[in-house]
Amino acid sequence: MGFPKDFLWGGAVAANQCEGGYCEDGRGLANVDLCPSGKERHDVIRGHGKSLRMEEGYVYPSAEAIDFYHHFREDIRLFGEMGFRVFRLSIAWTRIFPKGDEQEPNEAGLAFYEEILKECRKYQIQPLVTISHFDCPVHLIEKYGGWKNRNMIDFYLKLCRVLFTRYRDYVVHWLTFNEINMILHAPFMGAGLYFSDGENEEQIKYQAAHHELVASALAVRLAHEINPSNKVGCMFAAGSVYPYSCRPEDVMEALLVEQENYFFADVQSRGYYPSYARKRLEKMGVYPRMEREDKEILRENTVDFVSFSYYNSRCASAATQDTAEGNLFRSVKNPYLQYSDWGWPIDPLGLRITLNQIYDRYQKPLFIVENGLGALDTPGSDGTIEDDYRIDYLREHIRAMKAAVEEDGVDLMGYTAWAPIDLISAGTGEMKKRYGFIYVDKQEDGSGTLGRSRKKSFYWYQRVIETNGEEL
Ligand code: BGP
């Protein structure tokens, strides 16, 4: 009983939220570099404010982030100290192909990730690599329009080929796109899309989504060709959608919201557009252009496992209700739940429900690759951080996950907490929204030594891993 012996405990980060070094060693600019802090961020990430170069008067928090670029050895040593068995990281596309359409990759970028992978190996930490965590080179946006252009599939596959080949001896677990469904909610941050007045946004988003889905399937094929041991997963932002009441109208509404969310993983895991999606697109007057071979590509290259982020459940109602925040989705406020400092619902049991629903739907191994609490941490007078609120959040979620494995029989490969170290928030661009077991001395105004220190949760998580989830 309990978690399987080889259960993969660890933590997850994204290149643009931790690395910094945005123009070092030949790295090119990407959409993720150009999402400013402050009130403009909202419009930019949703594609309603064009931001294709850095402009004066704005702060771009990913430019330096927590400078993982120069601190990765120290950081991975700390992950090793916590006993990590897996570290989820992502590749900054523009370190490898600064513009995206070059013939040859940038050796300095490849060498950087190779050093990270070597460092992981030193501590027997397996890497789990996200090929694109929202990244899209700016040159590809300007010249081709980003993912709305089918050429993106080739550029992405070129990146994949280089990664699968170069890191063949280091990596077997890959994710094609982080939170692929985020393209519907944050199309610029998620896929480099922005809109002009009068454009049919839904048409553009679903066209881009179709290209990503085909690219993802082709990446699965390529990964298997290059190394038959490779295991490739999809990744989507999950969280069950509850009906606000047992009124049939509310139940129907929850079903519809859930379908919109599952659409991507349905295609990636089952290999075809579900009938509800075809009907819904038709109803919206959205007709993504597809090539004849796409059907077969999708059908023959489904993912090996299904991964997802879980921060909270959601709630849906057919009538208008109060809304709550949460992972770039707003939803109806659930009166039975507590809320985080940032207004996100806290629902550990929802994780068990979500795990059951997803496992039932796909019958493939699952991997929780993001889960955590963004909170304000205040160091005590001796500099220590007693983050019991974070420990409580994680303990309850791990308990729920354990019940899903032990009592419900869900096949779960692992759990990577978001994030093992404080980093820049994707949604708000803030530094003060902290998730880490490791504190980073970087403040909201950019000041600080960038020094790293262990929070109380560091020792707690270390013990969780040591006892394989027995001691919580
Ligand atoms: C997910 C992203 C992550 C991460 C997380 C927390 O959507 O995959 O990149 O940032 O959410 O969200 P936030 O940073 O907005 O608190």
Side-chain angles (χ1 to χ4, degrees):
M1 283 300 261
F3 290 103
K5 283 268 150 306
D6 54 355
F7 191 74
L8 293 169
W9 295 98
V13 301
N16 73 87
Q17 292 170 260
C18 72
E19 285 178 8
Y22 80 103
C23 56
E24 284 189 53
D25 298 323
R27 184 186 181 283
L29 264 191
N31 57 337
V32 285
D33 303 321
L34 297 164
C35 302
S37 325
K39 56 179 183 357
E40 286 82 10
R41 186 176 184 88
H42 189 265
D43 280 350
V44 169
I45 66 181
R46 283 174 167 73
H48 295 140
K50 188 171 167 186
S51 176
L52 295 182
R53 51 190 47 83
M54 290 188 170
E55 286 179 33
E56 256 181 65
Y58 292 92
V59 175
Y60 298 93
S62 289
E64 181 188 59
I66 57 159
D67 196 27
F68 180 76
Y69 195 66
H70 298 109
H71 289 72
F72 70 89
R73 288 182 209 283
E74 174 186 354
D75 295 343
I76 295 171
R77 182 167 54 72
L78 288 167
F79 301 157
E81 194 181 317
M82 272 187 278
F84 278 21
R85 299 173 188 168
V86 63
F87 172 45
R88 176 178 173 229
L89 68 145
S90 80
I91 304 285
W93 188 335
T94 54
R95 284 199 196 286
I96 313 298
F97 288 102
K99 291 166 79 177
D101 58 359
E102 300 91 336
Q103 285 313 311
E104 293 304 319
N106 170 28
E107 176 52 34
L110 285 169
F112 168 64
Y113 291 108
E114 191 162 345
E115 284 308 305
I116 291 185
L117 298 173
K118 281 188 186 154
E119 217 51 31
C120 287
R121 181 166 282 177
K122 216 158 126 185
Y123 303 100
Q124 282 130 43
I125 301 173
Q126 287 190 41
L128 165 62
V129 175
T130 314
I131 297 164
S132 170
H133 194 120
F134 298 153
D135 283 56
C136 184
V138 164
H139 173 75
L140 297 185
I141 301 175
E142 286 190 302
K143 187 158 173 200
Y144 304 90
W147 278 99
K148 62 185 166 191
N149 188 317
R150 195 172 170 99
N151 288 333
M152 286 295 288
I153 299 175
D154 293 337
F155 301 135
Y156 175 82
L157 284 177
K158 193 165 50 149
L159 171 71
C160 291
R161 181 177 291 282
V162 167
L163 301 179
F164 297 154
T165 312
R166 175 72 173 242
Y167 305 133
R168 194 179 186 281
D169 295 337
Y170 293 96
V171 185
V172 288
H173 290 117
W174 303 89
L175 304 178
T176 53
F177 290 94
N178 179 63
E179 291 189 338
I180 188 164
N181 50 331
M182 205 51 93
I183 197 172
L184 301 180
H185 308 274
F188 181 73
M189 186 173 72
L193 302 176
Y194 63 89
F195 311 104
S196 315
D197 283 348
E199 270 188 315
N200 183 342
E201 294 188 14
E202 296 304 316
Q203 173 72 31
I204 293 174
K205 286 194 280 192
Y206 277 98
Q207 183 65 67
H210 179 70
H211 293 147
E212 288 196 351
L213 290 167
V214 173
S216 175
L218 289 170
V220 172
R221 181 161 87 191
L222 188 63
H224 292 158
E225 272 167 22
I226 294 179
N227 181 2
S229 306
N230 273 334
K231 297 270 179 254
V232 188
C234 57
M235 181 339 185
F236 72 109
S240 295
V241 184
Y242 304 152
Y244 188 70
S245 75
C246 51
R247 267 179 74 215
E249 287 79 3
D250 286 351
V251 179
M252 188 66 212
E253 184 62 25
L255 177 73
L256 294 174
V257 177
E258 200 126 74
Q259 285 177 339
E260 179 187 279
N261 214 35
Y262 275 126
F263 160 66
F264 298 85
D266 277 357
V267 177
Q268 291 172 295
S269 185
R270 294 164 161 174
Y272 54 90
Y273 272 54
S275 42
Y276 70 77
R278 282 189 273 115
K279 287 288 170 197
R280 183 178 299 202
L281 292 177
E282 229 173 81
K283 205 165 142 205
M284 291 193 297
V286 166
Y287 298 96
R289 204 188 132 84
M290 303 187 190
E291 298 301 324
R292 248 218 317 239
E293 67 267 25
D294 291 358
K295 252 194 183 158
E296 192 183 323
I297 292 171
L298 296 175
R299 193 179 59 238
E300 294 191 346
N301 303 288
T302 56
V303 289
D304 301 308
F305 65 96
V306 173
S307 83
F308 60 92
S309 59
Y310 176 86
Y311 291 91
N312 49 260
S313 56
R314 294 197 276 155
C315 198
S317 159
T320 319
Q321 305 281 352
D322 273 358
T323 57
E325 299 294 332
N327 210 16
L328 295 170
F329 306 99
R330 289 183 76 80
S331 79
V332 175
K333 194 156 186 166
N334 182 334
Y336 300 100
L337 301 177
Q338 304 282 317
Y339 288 80
S340 76
D341 294 344
W342 268 263
W344 293 21
I346 299 178
D347 183 11
L349 184 55
L351 176 58
R352 180 173 174 185
I353 297 167
T354 301
L355 278 162
N356 272 280
Q357 288 178 334
I358 299 178
Y359 189 55
D360 204 27
R361 200 169 180 114
Y362 302 124
Q363 298 287 304
K364 289 191 185 188
L366 305 187
F367 205 144
I368 301 170
V369 295
E370 281 184 35
N371 171 239
L373 179 72
L376 289 166
D377 288 332
T378 317
S381 49
D382 58 351
T384 57
I385 288 155
E386 307 264 325
D387 53 344
D388 292 289
Y389 36 91
R390 182 167 294 109
I391 296 174
D392 290 345
Y393 176 100
L394 293 169
R395 178 192 294 117
E396 292 312 314
H397 282 78
I398 293 174
R399 247 185 212 143
M401 149 174 114
K402 197 172 183 185
V405 171
E406 258 182 22
E407 293 173 42
D408 312 331
V410 169
D411 179 2
L412 187 63
M413 298 162 69
Y415 174 86
T416 56
W418 184 272
I421 184 163
D422 295 342
L423 38 62
I424 300 296
S425 156
T428 67
E430 290 165 314
M431 186 63 219
K432 65 172 189 254
K433 188 178 187 188
R434 297 176 182 272
Y435 283 88
F437 304 118
I438 301 166
Y439 182 80
V440 177
D441 178 19
K442 171 152 181 178
Q443 308 310 317
E444 202 50 34
D445 62 3
S447 66
T449 61
L450 291 171
R452 276 53 172 161
S453 54
R454 299 165 185 78
K455 302 182 195 174
K456 186 173 176 184
S457 56
F458 181 99
Y459 302 102
W460 173 81
Y461 196 50
Q462 185 180 50
R463 190 70 193 137
V464 171
I465 300 178
E466 203 174 298
T467 62
N468 203 26
E470 283 310 302
E471 220 172 274
L472 296 170

